[in-house]
Amino acid sequence: LAACSPSKATQANYDRIEPLMTREQIYALLGKPDTVSAMGTDAMPVKVETWNNGLDSITVTFSGGQMVMKNIRNEGHNPD
């Protein structure tokens, strides 16, 4: 079994996510997401991806391979 690495879904990493970052840039920062949901239409596909860290999570919405929206849930108040 592989060892679990600490989650990168932190406020500090959330603050590093900038508009129009690519999926690859965000994966380099946060790693692979815990969940991925496809939404939108054929003409405008959207993916919503979420990284979890206990009670905290980061959700990023991608369109055309670029970040168009981000959100953080900071229930555990984990500043790192």
Side-chain angles (χ1 to χ4, degrees):
L1 293 173
C4 292
S5 60
S7 174
K8 294 183 179 180
T10 64
Q11 181 70 51
N13 282 338
Y14 176 81
D15 293 340
R16 291 183 181 102
I17 300 171
E18 297 182 9
L20 303 180
M21 284 180 81
T22 66
R23 179 177 280 108
E24 291 76 21
Q25 289 172 310
I26 292 177
Y27 281 16
L29 180 65
L30 299 176
K32 296 283 184 174
D34 295 302
T35 61
V36 178
S37 301
M39 304 171 73
T41 65
D42 289 341
M44 177 74 81
V46 173
K47 285 195 176 178
V48 179
E49 305 187 10
T50 303
W51 291 259
N52 298 309
N53 184 7
L55 296 175
D56 303 336
S57 65
I58 294 174
T59 301
V60 177
T61 303
F62 294 96
S63 180
Q66 294 181 317
M67 191 282 291
V68 294
M69 185 168 46
K70 67 178 183 173
N71 187 45
I72 190 167
R73 185 180 72 208
N74 204 352
E75 300 293 326
H77 308 293
N78 181 354
D80 298 324

